[in-house]
Amino acid sequence: MYDTVWAELALWQILLVGACFMWSGFVRSGLGFGGAALTLPLLLMIHNDPLLFLPAICWQLLFFSLLTVSTHWSNVSWAHIKHVSLRLSLPFAAGLFGLLNLSGPTVSLFVYVVTLAYGIVYMLNRVMVSRGKITDWLCLLGGGYASGVSLIGAPLIVAYSTRHLAASQLRDTLFVMWIFFVVAKLSALSIAGVDLQWQLSLLTLPLVALGHWLGLKLHLRIVAGEQKRFHQVIGLGLVAISIVGLGAAL
């Protein structure tokens, strides 16, 4: 089925897919999260089927997360990972069930609505941080479900983790958490008989690697204090993309 999809895409659409994957690597290594959340809405505007792109995003997230933390294992808070994973397991499983049973357009609509919310928060330069126990649970439930459906729950999980982790441990700890999520998602997709798109993963890997390298340079600038402006620009772009995507989906 997906072979037919690729055959039907125009050259400019295929080039845009490559650019989107490069963007995913840039965001993921720069912020430590958001590679899927800030890329999937763009990909869905090219072809409205999350299962066409999600497996490739999973493979690349797995590879570059392992690459990033391979020399930083001592900086990972394993206690936090255990604590959060137990609380995310049920909403994540519910999200996986939704991904495999809801229609592609319905999942896409969910992605655009959630992305629009993220975009507004970023555009207004608001910091997504949990402030108490109630918002802790809301972040974990929403982040777990969104991650299960489409790997876009990272900003909510970050909002929770920021309150409970030292800033120096945040990125490396979250990368390890994404590894666990991705392994679970790929296993579920494989059991369900979904094409895991390893060819697409290999073809776009050099582009993601380029984005990853550029993102590492961005991370140094973010550490130096330029995160707010970057978030505002991303937020404006996400709002525009989400509005166009919602209009098309509806």
PDB file of all heavy atoms in Angstrom, residues 54-55 58-59 61-62 85 88-97 99-100 144 147-149 151 176-194 196:
ATOM      1  N   LEU A  54       5.279   7.606  11.237  1.00  0.00           N
ATOM      2  CA  LEU A  54       5.638   7.353  12.630  1.00  0.00           C
ATOM      3  C   LEU A  54       6.701   6.264  12.816  1.00  0.00           C
ATOM      4  O   LEU A  54       7.615   6.433  13.630  1.00  0.00           O
ATOM      5  CB  LEU A  54       4.383   7.008  13.444  1.00  0.00           C
ATOM      6  CG  LEU A  54       3.612   8.206  13.995  1.00  0.00           C
ATOM      7  CD1 LEU A  54       2.312   7.753  14.643  1.00  0.00           C
ATOM      8  CD2 LEU A  54       4.453   8.988  14.999  1.00  0.00           C
ATOM      9  N   PRO A  55       6.631   5.133  12.084  1.00  0.00           N
ATOM     10  CA  PRO A  55       7.686   4.124  12.290  1.00  0.00           C
ATOM     11  C   PRO A  55       9.079   4.652  11.975  1.00  0.00           C
ATOM     12  O   PRO A  55      10.038   4.384  12.711  1.00  0.00           O
ATOM     13  CB  PRO A  55       7.278   3.003  11.318  1.00  0.00           C
ATOM     14  CG  PRO A  55       5.799   3.140  11.184  1.00  0.00           C
ATOM     15  CD  PRO A  55       5.554   4.616  11.206  1.00  0.00           C
ATOM     16  N   CYS A  58      10.238   6.824  14.701  1.00  0.00           N
ATOM     17  CA  CYS A  58      10.624   5.989  15.847  1.00  0.00           C
ATOM     18  C   CYS A  58      12.040   5.443  15.684  1.00  0.00           C
ATOM     19  O   CYS A  58      12.856   5.505  16.623  1.00  0.00           O
ATOM     20  CB  CYS A  58       9.646   4.826  16.000  1.00  0.00           C
ATOM     21  SG  CYS A  58       8.035   5.269  16.684  1.00  0.00           S
ATOM     22  N   TRP A  59      12.354   4.883  14.512  1.00  0.00           N
ATOM     23  CA  TRP A  59      13.696   4.334  14.284  1.00  0.00           C
ATOM     24  C   TRP A  59      14.768   5.394  14.468  1.00  0.00           C
ATOM     25  O   TRP A  59      15.811   5.152  15.093  1.00  0.00           O
ATOM     26  CB  TRP A  59      13.792   3.747  12.876  1.00  0.00           C
ATOM     27  CG  TRP A  59      13.120   2.427  12.682  1.00  0.00           C
ATOM     28  CD1 TRP A  59      12.093   2.147  11.815  1.00  0.00           C
ATOM     29  CD2 TRP A  59      13.428   1.181  13.338  1.00  0.00           C
ATOM     30  NE1 TRP A  59      11.731   0.827  11.908  1.00  0.00           N
ATOM     31  CE2 TRP A  59      12.540   0.208  12.827  1.00  0.00           C
ATOM     32  CE3 TRP A  59      14.348   0.815  14.317  1.00  0.00           C
ATOM     33  CZ2 TRP A  59      12.558  -1.118  13.267  1.00  0.00           C
ATOM     34  CZ3 TRP A  59      14.371  -0.511  14.756  1.00  0.00           C
ATOM     35  CH2 TRP A  59      13.487  -1.448  14.234  1.00  0.00           C
ATOM     36  N   LEU A  61      14.527   8.285  16.084  1.00  0.00           N
ATOM     37  CA  LEU A  61      14.566   8.723  17.474  1.00  0.00           C
ATOM     38  C   LEU A  61      15.369   7.740  18.318  1.00  0.00           C
ATOM     39  O   LEU A  61      16.185   8.142  19.157  1.00  0.00           O
ATOM     40  CB  LEU A  61      13.142   8.843  18.019  1.00  0.00           C
ATOM     41  CG  LEU A  61      12.978   9.197  19.499  1.00  0.00           C
ATOM     42  CD1 LEU A  61      13.694  10.494  19.827  1.00  0.00           C
ATOM     43  CD2 LEU A  61      11.509   9.289  19.854  1.00  0.00           C
ATOM     44  N   LEU A  62      15.177   6.457  18.063  1.00  0.00           N
ATOM     45  CA  LEU A  62      15.916   5.429  18.793  1.00  0.00           C
ATOM     46  C   LEU A  62      17.415   5.549  18.543  1.00  0.00           C
ATOM     47  O   LEU A  62      18.229   5.550  19.482  1.00  0.00           O
ATOM     48  CB  LEU A  62      15.412   4.046  18.371  1.00  0.00           C
ATOM     49  CG  LEU A  62      16.094   2.835  19.007  1.00  0.00           C
ATOM     50  CD1 LEU A  62      15.888   2.838  20.518  1.00  0.00           C
ATOM     51  CD2 LEU A  62      15.538   1.536  18.401  1.00  0.00           C
ATOM     52  N   SER A  85       7.838   6.267  34.261  1.00  0.00           N
ATOM     53  CA  SER A  85       7.414   5.187  33.370  1.00  0.00           C
ATOM     54  C   SER A  85       6.223   4.421  33.932  1.00  0.00           C
ATOM     55  O   SER A  85       5.295   4.051  33.193  1.00  0.00           O
ATOM     56  CB  SER A  85       8.576   4.225  33.119  1.00  0.00           C
ATOM     57  OG  SER A  85       9.631   4.878  32.454  1.00  0.00           O
ATOM     58  N   LEU A  88       3.187   6.536  33.363  1.00  0.00           N
ATOM     59  CA  LEU A  88       2.848   6.772  31.956  1.00  0.00           C
ATOM     60  C   LEU A  88       2.358   5.520  31.246  1.00  0.00           C
ATOM     61  O   LEU A  88       1.787   5.619  30.153  1.00  0.00           O
ATOM     62  CB  LEU A  88       4.082   7.299  31.210  1.00  0.00           C
ATOM     63  CG  LEU A  88       4.526   8.731  31.500  1.00  0.00           C
ATOM     64  CD1 LEU A  88       5.838   9.025  30.782  1.00  0.00           C
ATOM     65  CD2 LEU A  88       3.461   9.729  31.065  1.00  0.00           C
ATOM     66  N   SER A  89       2.556   4.368  31.827  1.00  0.00           N
ATOM     67  CA  SER A  89       2.308   3.108  31.117  1.00  0.00           C
ATOM     68  C   SER A  89       0.859   2.960  30.658  1.00  0.00           C
ATOM     69  O   SER A  89       0.602   2.602  29.492  1.00  0.00           O
ATOM     70  CB  SER A  89       2.710   1.914  31.996  1.00  0.00           C
ATOM     71  OG  SER A  89       2.036   1.955  33.235  1.00  0.00           O
ATOM     72  N   LEU A  90      -0.106   3.247  31.526  1.00  0.00           N
ATOM     73  CA  LEU A  90      -1.513   3.066  31.146  1.00  0.00           C
ATOM     74  C   LEU A  90      -1.966   4.079  30.091  1.00  0.00           C
ATOM     75  O   LEU A  90      -2.562   3.686  29.077  1.00  0.00           O
ATOM     76  CB  LEU A  90      -2.408   3.122  32.382  1.00  0.00           C
ATOM     77  CG  LEU A  90      -2.362   1.889  33.285  1.00  0.00           C
ATOM     78  CD1 LEU A  90      -3.275   2.069  34.497  1.00  0.00           C
ATOM     79  CD2 LEU A  90      -2.772   0.637  32.511  1.00  0.00           C
ATOM     80  N   PRO A  91      -1.733   5.401  30.281  1.00  0.00           N
ATOM     81  CA  PRO A  91      -2.141   6.337  29.218  1.00  0.00           C
ATOM     82  C   PRO A  91      -1.390   6.093  27.907  1.00  0.00           C
ATOM     83  O   PRO A  91      -1.958   6.279  26.824  1.00  0.00           O
ATOM     84  CB  PRO A  91      -1.835   7.716  29.804  1.00  0.00           C
ATOM     85  CG  PRO A  91      -0.913   7.479  30.947  1.00  0.00           C
ATOM     86  CD  PRO A  91      -1.248   6.129  31.475  1.00  0.00           C
ATOM     87  N   PHE A  92      -0.130   5.658  27.990  1.00  0.00           N
ATOM     88  CA  PHE A  92       0.621   5.357  26.770  1.00  0.00           C
ATOM     89  C   PHE A  92      -0.004   4.173  26.042  1.00  0.00           C
ATOM     90  O   PHE A  92      -0.167   4.200  24.811  1.00  0.00           O
ATOM     91  CB  PHE A  92       2.077   5.050  27.130  1.00  0.00           C
ATOM     92  CG  PHE A  92       2.958   4.785  25.939  1.00  0.00           C
ATOM     93  CD1 PHE A  92       3.445   5.834  25.174  1.00  0.00           C
ATOM     94  CD2 PHE A  92       3.303   3.492  25.579  1.00  0.00           C
ATOM     95  CE1 PHE A  92       4.254   5.601  24.075  1.00  0.00           C
ATOM     96  CE2 PHE A  92       4.115   3.244  24.488  1.00  0.00           C
ATOM     97  CZ  PHE A  92       4.594   4.296  23.730  1.00  0.00           C
ATOM     98  N   ALA A  93      -0.390   3.134  26.779  1.00  0.00           N
ATOM     99  CA  ALA A  93      -1.042   1.971  26.173  1.00  0.00           C
ATOM    100  C   ALA A  93      -2.378   2.364  25.553  1.00  0.00           C
ATOM    101  O   ALA A  93      -2.735   1.886  24.468  1.00  0.00           O
ATOM    102  CB  ALA A  93      -1.232   0.878  27.226  1.00  0.00           C
ATOM    103  N   ALA A  94      -3.119   3.245  26.231  1.00  0.00           N
ATOM    104  CA  ALA A  94      -4.399   3.715  25.678  1.00  0.00           C
ATOM    105  C   ALA A  94      -4.169   4.476  24.380  1.00  0.00           C
ATOM    106  O   ALA A  94      -4.940   4.354  23.412  1.00  0.00           O
ATOM    107  CB  ALA A  94      -5.108   4.598  26.700  1.00  0.00           C
ATOM    108  N   GLY A  95      -3.104   5.270  24.340  1.00  0.00           N
ATOM    109  CA  GLY A  95      -2.782   5.996  23.112  1.00  0.00           C
ATOM    110  C   GLY A  95      -2.401   5.073  21.977  1.00  0.00           C
ATOM    111  O   GLY A  95      -2.796   5.292  20.819  1.00  0.00           O
ATOM    112  N   LEU A  96      -1.633   4.022  22.274  1.00  0.00           N
ATOM    113  CA  LEU A  96      -1.287   3.035  21.251  1.00  0.00           C
ATOM    114  C   LEU A  96      -2.535   2.369  20.688  1.00  0.00           C
ATOM    115  O   LEU A  96      -2.646   2.150  19.472  1.00  0.00           O
ATOM    116  CB  LEU A  96      -0.366   1.975  21.843  1.00  0.00           C
ATOM    117  CG  LEU A  96       1.134   2.247  21.837  1.00  0.00           C
ATOM    118  CD1 LEU A  96       1.876   1.123  22.539  1.00  0.00           C
ATOM    119  CD2 LEU A  96       1.651   2.404  20.410  1.00  0.00           C
ATOM    120  N   PHE A  97      -3.469   2.043  21.565  1.00  0.00           N
ATOM    121  CA  PHE A  97      -4.731   1.443  21.120  1.00  0.00           C
ATOM    122  C   PHE A  97      -5.460   2.395  20.175  1.00  0.00           C
ATOM    123  O   PHE A  97      -6.007   1.978  19.144  1.00  0.00           O
ATOM    124  CB  PHE A  97      -5.605   1.121  22.330  1.00  0.00           C
ATOM    125  CG  PHE A  97      -6.920   0.478  21.983  1.00  0.00           C
ATOM    126  CD1 PHE A  97      -6.994  -0.890  21.742  1.00  0.00           C
ATOM    127  CD2 PHE A  97      -8.078   1.242  21.900  1.00  0.00           C
ATOM    128  CE1 PHE A  97      -8.211  -1.480  21.412  1.00  0.00           C
ATOM    129  CE2 PHE A  97      -9.291   0.661  21.572  1.00  0.00           C
ATOM    130  CZ  PHE A  97      -9.368  -0.709  21.325  1.00  0.00           C
ATOM    131  N   LEU A  99      -4.082   4.761  18.296  1.00  0.00           N
ATOM    132  CA  LEU A  99      -3.337   4.854  17.037  1.00  0.00           C
ATOM    133  C   LEU A  99      -3.698   3.709  16.096  1.00  0.00           C
ATOM    134  O   LEU A  99      -3.840   3.901  14.882  1.00  0.00           O
ATOM    135  CB  LEU A  99      -1.834   4.839  17.324  1.00  0.00           C
ATOM    136  CG  LEU A  99      -0.895   4.754  16.112  1.00  0.00           C
ATOM    137  CD1 LEU A  99      -1.047   5.984  15.225  1.00  0.00           C
ATOM    138  CD2 LEU A  99       0.555   4.592  16.567  1.00  0.00           C
ATOM    139  N   LEU A 100      -3.845   2.509  16.640  1.00  0.00           N
ATOM    140  CA  LEU A 100      -4.094   1.325  15.825  1.00  0.00           C
ATOM    141  C   LEU A 100      -5.560   1.147  15.453  1.00  0.00           C
ATOM    142  O   LEU A 100      -5.875   0.365  14.550  1.00  0.00           O
ATOM    143  CB  LEU A 100      -3.601   0.072  16.553  1.00  0.00           C
ATOM    144  CG  LEU A 100      -2.079   0.006  16.790  1.00  0.00           C
ATOM    145  CD1 LEU A 100      -1.727  -1.176  17.678  1.00  0.00           C
ATOM    146  CD2 LEU A 100      -1.338  -0.075  15.466  1.00  0.00           C
ATOM    147  N   GLY A 144       1.345  10.988  28.271  1.00  0.00           N
ATOM    148  CA  GLY A 144       1.397   9.552  27.985  1.00  0.00           C
ATOM    149  C   GLY A 144       0.482   9.172  26.835  1.00  0.00           C
ATOM    150  O   GLY A 144       0.872   8.430  25.932  1.00  0.00           O
ATOM    151  N   SER A 147       1.790  10.607  23.533  1.00  0.00           N
ATOM    152  CA  SER A 147       2.974   9.856  23.095  1.00  0.00           C
ATOM    153  C   SER A 147       2.566   8.510  22.512  1.00  0.00           C
ATOM    154  O   SER A 147       3.160   8.042  21.534  1.00  0.00           O
ATOM    155  CB  SER A 147       3.931   9.645  24.278  1.00  0.00           C
ATOM    156  OG  SER A 147       4.457  10.866  24.723  1.00  0.00           O
ATOM    157  N   GLY A 148       1.563   7.885  23.098  1.00  0.00           N
ATOM    158  CA  GLY A 148       1.098   6.606  22.567  1.00  0.00           C
ATOM    159  C   GLY A 148       0.449   6.754  21.205  1.00  0.00           C
ATOM    160  O   GLY A 148       0.658   5.935  20.311  1.00  0.00           O
ATOM    161  N   VAL A 149      -0.326   7.813  21.034  1.00  0.00           N
ATOM    162  CA  VAL A 149      -1.007   8.039  19.755  1.00  0.00           C
ATOM    163  C   VAL A 149      -0.012   8.423  18.666  1.00  0.00           C
ATOM    164  O   VAL A 149      -0.040   7.872  17.559  1.00  0.00           O
ATOM    165  CB  VAL A 149      -2.083   9.145  19.895  1.00  0.00           C
ATOM    166  CG1 VAL A 149      -2.625   9.543  18.528  1.00  0.00           C
ATOM    167  CG2 VAL A 149      -3.220   8.659  20.765  1.00  0.00           C
ATOM    168  N   LEU A 151       3.522  10.146  19.485  1.00  0.00           N
ATOM    169  CA  LEU A 151       4.828  10.630  19.943  1.00  0.00           C
ATOM    170  C   LEU A 151       4.902  12.151  20.070  1.00  0.00           C
ATOM    171  O   LEU A 151       5.969  12.729  19.944  1.00  0.00           O
ATOM    172  CB  LEU A 151       5.954  10.142  19.019  1.00  0.00           C
ATOM    173  CG  LEU A 151       6.347   8.668  19.121  1.00  0.00           C
ATOM    174  CD1 LEU A 151       7.429   8.341  18.102  1.00  0.00           C
ATOM    175  CD2 LEU A 151       6.830   8.312  20.522  1.00  0.00           C
ATOM    176  N   VAL A 176      16.657   8.938  27.365  1.00  0.00           N
ATOM    177  CA  VAL A 176      16.523   7.524  27.743  1.00  0.00           C
ATOM    178  C   VAL A 176      15.049   7.132  27.813  1.00  0.00           C
ATOM    179  O   VAL A 176      14.654   6.041  27.392  1.00  0.00           O
ATOM    180  CB  VAL A 176      17.225   7.254  29.088  1.00  0.00           C
ATOM    181  CG1 VAL A 176      16.959   5.829  29.575  1.00  0.00           C
ATOM    182  CG2 VAL A 176      18.725   7.486  28.957  1.00  0.00           C
ATOM    183  N   MET A 177      14.212   8.048  28.309  1.00  0.00           N
ATOM    184  CA  MET A 177      12.782   7.768  28.381  1.00  0.00           C
ATOM    185  C   MET A 177      12.188   7.601  26.990  1.00  0.00           C
ATOM    186  O   MET A 177      11.353   6.723  26.745  1.00  0.00           O
ATOM    187  CB  MET A 177      12.072   8.897  29.126  1.00  0.00           C
ATOM    188  CG  MET A 177      10.717   8.502  29.687  1.00  0.00           C
ATOM    189  SD  MET A 177       9.984   9.850  30.643  1.00  0.00           S
ATOM    190  CE  MET A 177      11.264  10.115  31.870  1.00  0.00           C
ATOM    191  N   TRP A 178      12.644   8.444  26.029  1.00  0.00           N
ATOM    192  CA  TRP A 178      12.134   8.317  24.656  1.00  0.00           C
ATOM    193  C   TRP A 178      12.531   6.959  24.070  1.00  0.00           C
ATOM    194  O   TRP A 178      11.781   6.368  23.286  1.00  0.00           O
ATOM    195  CB  TRP A 178      12.669   9.427  23.759  1.00  0.00           C
ATOM    196  CG  TRP A 178      12.509  10.834  24.208  1.00  0.00           C
ATOM    197  CD1 TRP A 178      13.333  11.881  23.898  1.00  0.00           C
ATOM    198  CD2 TRP A 178      11.484  11.409  25.040  1.00  0.00           C
ATOM    199  NE1 TRP A 178      12.894  13.036  24.486  1.00  0.00           N
ATOM    200  CE2 TRP A 178      11.760  12.782  25.185  1.00  0.00           C
ATOM    201  CE3 TRP A 178      10.362  10.887  25.683  1.00  0.00           C
ATOM    202  CZ2 TRP A 178      10.961  13.642  25.945  1.00  0.00           C
ATOM    203  CZ3 TRP A 178       9.567  11.733  26.452  1.00  0.00           C
ATOM    204  CH2 TRP A 178       9.857  13.079  26.570  1.00  0.00           C
ATOM    205  N   ILE A 179      13.721   6.454  24.438  1.00  0.00           N
ATOM    206  CA  ILE A 179      14.154   5.133  23.952  1.00  0.00           C
ATOM    207  C   ILE A 179      13.157   4.059  24.379  1.00  0.00           C
ATOM    208  O   ILE A 179      12.736   3.215  23.572  1.00  0.00           O
ATOM    209  CB  ILE A 179      15.573   4.810  24.478  1.00  0.00           C
ATOM    210  CG1 ILE A 179      16.607   5.723  23.808  1.00  0.00           C
ATOM    211  CG2 ILE A 179      15.925   3.342  24.211  1.00  0.00           C
ATOM    212  CD1 ILE A 179      17.984   5.660  24.436  1.00  0.00           C
ATOM    213  N   PHE A 180      12.748   4.085  25.634  1.00  0.00           N
ATOM    214  CA  PHE A 180      11.783   3.102  26.127  1.00  0.00           C
ATOM    215  C   PHE A 180      10.453   3.223  25.384  1.00  0.00           C
ATOM    216  O   PHE A 180       9.842   2.226  25.007  1.00  0.00           O
ATOM    217  CB  PHE A 180      11.555   3.285  27.632  1.00  0.00           C
ATOM    218  CG  PHE A 180      12.738   2.912  28.481  1.00  0.00           C
ATOM    219  CD1 PHE A 180      12.947   3.502  29.709  1.00  0.00           C
ATOM    220  CD2 PHE A 180      13.660   1.975  28.049  1.00  0.00           C
ATOM    221  CE1 PHE A 180      14.031   3.162  30.503  1.00  0.00           C
ATOM    222  CE2 PHE A 180      14.766   1.623  28.817  1.00  0.00           C
ATOM    223  CZ  PHE A 180      14.939   2.216  30.047  1.00  0.00           C
ATOM    224  N   PHE A 181       9.999   4.454  25.180  1.00  0.00           N
ATOM    225  CA  PHE A 181       8.739   4.676  24.463  1.00  0.00           C
ATOM    226  C   PHE A 181       8.799   4.118  23.047  1.00  0.00           C
ATOM    227  O   PHE A 181       7.869   3.467  22.564  1.00  0.00           O
ATOM    228  CB  PHE A 181       8.425   6.177  24.390  1.00  0.00           C
ATOM    229  CG  PHE A 181       7.864   6.755  25.649  1.00  0.00           C
ATOM    230  CD1 PHE A 181       7.852   8.130  25.842  1.00  0.00           C
ATOM    231  CD2 PHE A 181       7.356   5.954  26.645  1.00  0.00           C
ATOM    232  CE1 PHE A 181       7.341   8.680  27.003  1.00  0.00           C
ATOM    233  CE2 PHE A 181       6.838   6.489  27.814  1.00  0.00           C
ATOM    234  CZ  PHE A 181       6.831   7.857  27.993  1.00  0.00           C
ATOM    235  N   VAL A 182       9.895   4.412  22.366  1.00  0.00           N
ATOM    236  CA  VAL A 182      10.034   4.020  20.971  1.00  0.00           C
ATOM    237  C   VAL A 182      10.079   2.492  20.829  1.00  0.00           C
ATOM    238  O   VAL A 182       9.451   1.926  19.930  1.00  0.00           O
ATOM    239  CB  VAL A 182      11.299   4.665  20.362  1.00  0.00           C
ATOM    240  CG1 VAL A 182      11.687   3.985  19.066  1.00  0.00           C
ATOM    241  CG2 VAL A 182      11.062   6.140  20.117  1.00  0.00           C
ATOM    242  N   VAL A 183      10.813   1.832  21.701  1.00  0.00           N
ATOM    243  CA  VAL A 183      10.879   0.364  21.652  1.00  0.00           C
ATOM    244  C   VAL A 183       9.482  -0.223  21.859  1.00  0.00           C
ATOM    245  O   VAL A 183       9.072  -1.152  21.145  1.00  0.00           O
ATOM    246  CB  VAL A 183      11.862  -0.175  22.713  1.00  0.00           C
ATOM    247  CG1 VAL A 183      11.745  -1.691  22.841  1.00  0.00           C
ATOM    248  CG2 VAL A 183      13.292   0.209  22.348  1.00  0.00           C
ATOM    249  N   ALA A 184       8.728   0.324  22.809  1.00  0.00           N
ATOM    250  CA  ALA A 184       7.364  -0.160  23.054  1.00  0.00           C
ATOM    251  C   ALA A 184       6.469   0.085  21.846  1.00  0.00           C
ATOM    252  O   ALA A 184       5.682  -0.791  21.445  1.00  0.00           O
ATOM    253  CB  ALA A 184       6.784   0.525  24.291  1.00  0.00           C
ATOM    254  N   LYS A 185       6.583   1.273  21.240  1.00  0.00           N
ATOM    255  CA  LYS A 185       5.729   1.592  20.098  1.00  0.00           C
ATOM    256  C   LYS A 185       6.067   0.737  18.882  1.00  0.00           C
ATOM    257  O   LYS A 185       5.171   0.201  18.217  1.00  0.00           O
ATOM    258  CB  LYS A 185       5.841   3.077  19.741  1.00  0.00           C
ATOM    259  CG  LYS A 185       4.880   3.518  18.634  1.00  0.00           C
ATOM    260  CD  LYS A 185       4.995   4.999  18.363  1.00  0.00           C
ATOM    261  CE  LYS A 185       4.309   5.811  19.416  1.00  0.00           C
ATOM    262  NZ  LYS A 185       2.828   5.731  19.308  1.00  0.00           N
ATOM    263  N   LEU A 186       7.346   0.579  18.573  1.00  0.00           N
ATOM    264  CA  LEU A 186       7.734  -0.251  17.429  1.00  0.00           C
ATOM    265  C   LEU A 186       7.316  -1.702  17.637  1.00  0.00           C
ATOM    266  O   LEU A 186       6.892  -2.371  16.683  1.00  0.00           O
ATOM    267  CB  LEU A 186       9.250  -0.158  17.213  1.00  0.00           C
ATOM    268  CG  LEU A 186       9.775   1.136  16.589  1.00  0.00           C
ATOM    269  CD1 LEU A 186      11.297   1.155  16.589  1.00  0.00           C
ATOM    270  CD2 LEU A 186       9.252   1.311  15.163  1.00  0.00           C
ATOM    271  N   SER A 187       7.419  -2.203  18.862  1.00  0.00           N
ATOM    272  CA  SER A 187       6.996  -3.571  19.152  1.00  0.00           C
ATOM    273  C   SER A 187       5.504  -3.725  18.910  1.00  0.00           C
ATOM    274  O   SER A 187       5.064  -4.713  18.296  1.00  0.00           O
ATOM    275  CB  SER A 187       7.337  -3.937  20.605  1.00  0.00           C
ATOM    276  OG  SER A 187       8.731  -3.870  20.832  1.00  0.00           O
ATOM    277  N   ALA A 188       4.720  -2.764  19.383  1.00  0.00           N
ATOM    278  CA  ALA A 188       3.272  -2.828  19.195  1.00  0.00           C
ATOM    279  C   ALA A 188       2.893  -2.742  17.720  1.00  0.00           C
ATOM    280  O   ALA A 188       2.016  -3.477  17.243  1.00  0.00           O
ATOM    281  CB  ALA A 188       2.595  -1.707  19.985  1.00  0.00           C
ATOM    282  N   LEU A 189       3.556  -1.846  16.982  1.00  0.00           N
ATOM    283  CA  LEU A 189       3.262  -1.707  15.551  1.00  0.00           C
ATOM    284  C   LEU A 189       3.633  -2.980  14.801  1.00  0.00           C
ATOM    285  O   LEU A 189       2.910  -3.410  13.888  1.00  0.00           O
ATOM    286  CB  LEU A 189       4.024  -0.515  14.974  1.00  0.00           C
ATOM    287  CG  LEU A 189       3.600   0.872  15.472  1.00  0.00           C
ATOM    288  CD1 LEU A 189       4.498   1.952  14.873  1.00  0.00           C
ATOM    289  CD2 LEU A 189       2.140   1.152  15.136  1.00  0.00           C
ATOM    290  N   SER A 190       4.751  -3.598  15.171  1.00  0.00           N
ATOM    291  CA  SER A 190       5.168  -4.845  14.525  1.00  0.00           C
ATOM    292  C   SER A 190       4.163  -5.958  14.785  1.00  0.00           C
ATOM    293  O   SER A 190       3.783  -6.692  13.867  1.00  0.00           O
ATOM    294  CB  SER A 190       6.556  -5.251  15.027  1.00  0.00           C
ATOM    295  OG  SER A 190       6.960  -6.477  14.451  1.00  0.00           O
ATOM    296  N   ILE A 191       3.715  -6.086  16.023  1.00  0.00           N
ATOM    297  CA  ILE A 191       2.721  -7.115  16.371  1.00  0.00           C
ATOM    298  C   ILE A 191       1.424  -6.894  15.601  1.00  0.00           C
ATOM    299  O   ILE A 191       0.762  -7.851  15.181  1.00  0.00           O
ATOM    300  CB  ILE A 191       2.467  -7.109  17.895  1.00  0.00           C
ATOM    301  CG1 ILE A 191       3.725  -7.595  18.639  1.00  0.00           C
ATOM    302  CG2 ILE A 191       1.267  -7.981  18.255  1.00  0.00           C
ATOM    303  CD1 ILE A 191       3.654  -7.403  20.137  1.00  0.00           C
ATOM    304  N   ALA A 192       1.073  -5.618  15.405  1.00  0.00           N
ATOM    305  CA  ALA A 192      -0.164  -5.295  14.686  1.00  0.00           C
ATOM    306  C   ALA A 192      -0.020  -5.426  13.170  1.00  0.00           C
ATOM    307  O   ALA A 192      -0.992  -5.237  12.436  1.00  0.00           O
ATOM    308  CB  ALA A 192      -0.597  -3.875  15.031  1.00  0.00           C
ATOM    309  N   GLY A 193       1.178  -5.734  12.695  1.00  0.00           N
ATOM    310  CA  GLY A 193       1.381  -5.932  11.261  1.00  0.00           C
ATOM    311  C   GLY A 193       1.579  -4.655  10.470  1.00  0.00           C
ATOM    312  O   GLY A 193       1.433  -4.655   9.239  1.00  0.00           O
ATOM    313  N   VAL A 194       1.947  -3.569  11.135  1.00  0.00           N
ATOM    314  CA  VAL A 194       2.174  -2.291  10.450  1.00  0.00           C
ATOM    315  C   VAL A 194       3.558  -2.299   9.803  1.00  0.00           C
ATOM    316  O   VAL A 194       4.531  -2.777  10.389  1.00  0.00           O
ATOM    317  CB  VAL A 194       2.064  -1.113  11.442  1.00  0.00           C
ATOM    318  CG1 VAL A 194       2.418   0.213  10.766  1.00  0.00           C
ATOM    319  CG2 VAL A 194       0.665  -1.051  12.031  1.00  0.00           C
ATOM    320  N   LEU A 196       6.992  -1.164   9.139  1.00  0.00           N
ATOM    321  CA  LEU A 196       7.865  -0.358   9.994  1.00  0.00           C
ATOM    322  C   LEU A 196       8.751   0.619   9.219  1.00  0.00           C
ATOM    323  O   LEU A 196       9.573   1.317   9.816  1.00  0.00           O
ATOM    324  CB  LEU A 196       8.732  -1.267  10.871  1.00  0.00           C
ATOM    325  CG  LEU A 196       7.965  -2.122  11.880  1.00  0.00           C
ATOM    326  CD1 LEU A 196       8.929  -2.884  12.781  1.00  0.00           C
ATOM    327  CD2 LEU A 196       7.020  -1.269  12.731  1.00  0.00           C
TER     328      LEU A 196
END
